[in-house]
Amino acid sequence: MSYQVSPIGYVHSCFKEKFAIPRQPQLAPAARGVLELLPPFDKAEAFDGLEQVSHVWLLFVFHQALEDQPRLKVRPPRLGGNRAIGVFASRSTHRPNGIGQSVVKLDRIEAGRLWLSGIDLLDGTPVLDIKPYVPYADSLAQAHNGIAPAPPPSIPVQWTDLALKEARDHALRLGEPLVELIEQCLAQDPRPAYQQPEPERRYGARLWDVDVQWHYPQAGTIRVLQVS
């Protein structure tokens, strides 16, 4: 038997492209967005009681990673992109039905909208369902994961004077913590783990409506060059 599901809404996110999105939620608290609900789920009664909840689970679709042929093995970035494991042992975007889940902070509720932070969702992501995070059930002290036992190590993020000024100016214009967002995303080193960048090579990503460019002046260090 087959089932058909439809989005209940779409996310307007600070992440305009896949590159530099945190590989897990909550790793970049400054990453913010808005979930805009579709009728009939945009009615106030659908959110009655949700104001008592600090975090929610979002079930969504990896809409830019859908594939015709299912994968049984994937190569997670956490393992350097070279070691393959079973798809069900990973949180790879290459899912059998393209379904993802993230726990995000619920900052506020407006008519038909949820304001969120700590997100890891691409702009335009279709959301299938919302569920309240329940700490006593969803946080298990005895749980373990041998593949990802701890958060990934962060690397130092430096700035040129010009880039920092540009970021602060854009942060004021946007009303968003742009400097923090850039630092939190880049500290996780978004480049492919198997790639050894040369100092002269520039990388870039789009956050909100600005283009961020950086390079690796030396191993284990990022310097932001421009925020335009």
Side-chain angles (χ1 to χ4, degrees), residues 16 28 36 39 74 82-83 88 100 112 114 141-142 145 148 158 182 184 203 213:
K16 306 305 179 182
E36 186 125 17
V74 295
N82 294 314
R83 176 186 165 195
F88 298 126
L114 302 183
Q142 70 274 25
N145 185 321
Q158 304 170 352
I182 292 171
Q184 291 165 8
Y203 291 77
Q213 294 188 22

Side-chain angles (χ1 to χ4, degrees), residues 23 74-84 191-195:
R23 296 183 178 118
V74 295
R75 299 178 183 274
R78 185 62 181 267
L79 300 180
N82 294 314
R83 176 186 165 195
R191 69 177 172 83
Y194 57 82
Q195 195 175 91

Side-chain angles (χ1 to χ4, degrees), residues 7 12-13 26-27 44 53 67 85 102 155 159-160 191 208 218 228:
H12 304 293
S13 165
Q26 302 301 315
L27 292 180
V53 174
E67 299 173 330
I85 61 174
S102 290
I155 64 176
W159 295 80
T160 64
R191 69 177 172 83
W208 293 116
Q218 57 191 30
S228 59

Side-chain angles (χ1 to χ4, degrees), residues 203-227:
Y203 291 77
R206 192 164 182 82
L207 302 175
W208 293 116
D209 63 352
V210 300
D211 292 312
V212 182
Q213 294 188 22
W214 69 92
H215 76 147
Y216 296 79
Q218 57 191 30
T221 302
I222 282 176
R223 179 185 293 128
V224 183
L225 299 171
Q226 188 174 10
V227 181

Side-chain angles (χ1 to χ4, degrees), residues 87-101:
V87 64
F88 298 126
S90 80
R91 291 196 182 188
S92 166
T93 58
H94 304 290
R95 312 308 307 170
N97 289 295
I99 297 176
Q101 65 174 14

Side-chain angles (χ1 to χ4, degrees), residues 14-184:
C14 59
F15 299 115
K16 306 305 179 182
E17 58 188 38
K18 290 182 286 186
F19 189 51
I21 294 180
R23 296 183 178 118
Q24 299 292 345
Q26 302 301 315
L27 292 180
R32 304 203 290 202
V34 180
L35 171 55
E36 186 125 17
L37 280 300
L38 299 174
F41 306 106
D42 57 344
K43 301 294 188 297
E45 54 260 45
F47 305 105
D48 186 22
L50 195 62
E51 72 281 353
Q52 303 175 67
V53 174
S54 67
H55 293 72
V56 294
W57 288 102
L58 300 182
L59 299 181
F60 59 91
V61 177
F62 289 111
H63 63 297
Q64 289 195 8
L66 297 175
E67 299 173 330
D68 294 330
Q69 295 296 322
R71 301 192 190 194
L72 302 184
K73 304 276 280 191
V74 295
R75 299 178 183 274
R78 185 62 181 267
L79 300 180
N82 294 314
R83 176 186 165 195
I85 61 174
V87 64
F88 298 126
S90 80
R91 291 196 182 188
S92 166
T93 58
H94 304 290
R95 312 308 307 170
N97 289 295
I99 297 176
Q101 65 174 14
S102 290
V103 60
V104 301
K105 187 174 184 296
L106 177 58
D107 292 324
R108 71 179 189 270
I109 303 172
E110 291 183 357
R113 293 175 178 168
L114 302 183
W115 295 77
L116 311 168
S117 61
I119 64 173
D120 62 342
L121 288 85
L122 183 66
D123 189 57
T125 293
V127 173
L128 303 177
D129 202 357
I130 305 164
K131 297 179 184 292
Y133 182 86
V134 181
Y136 77 84
D138 295 340
S139 179
L140 305 176
Q142 70 274 25
H144 69 276
N145 185 321
I147 298 172
S154 60
I155 64 176
V157 177
Q158 304 170 352
W159 295 80
T160 64
D161 292 341
L162 176 60
L164 185 56
K165 181 183 184 305
E166 291 173 335
R168 288 171 174 166
D169 289 345
H170 285 297
L172 289 173
R173 176 180 60 82
L174 292 166
E176 294 288 343
L178 184 61
V179 174
E180 292 84 353
L181 175 63
I182 292 171
E183 290 183 344
Q184 291 165 8

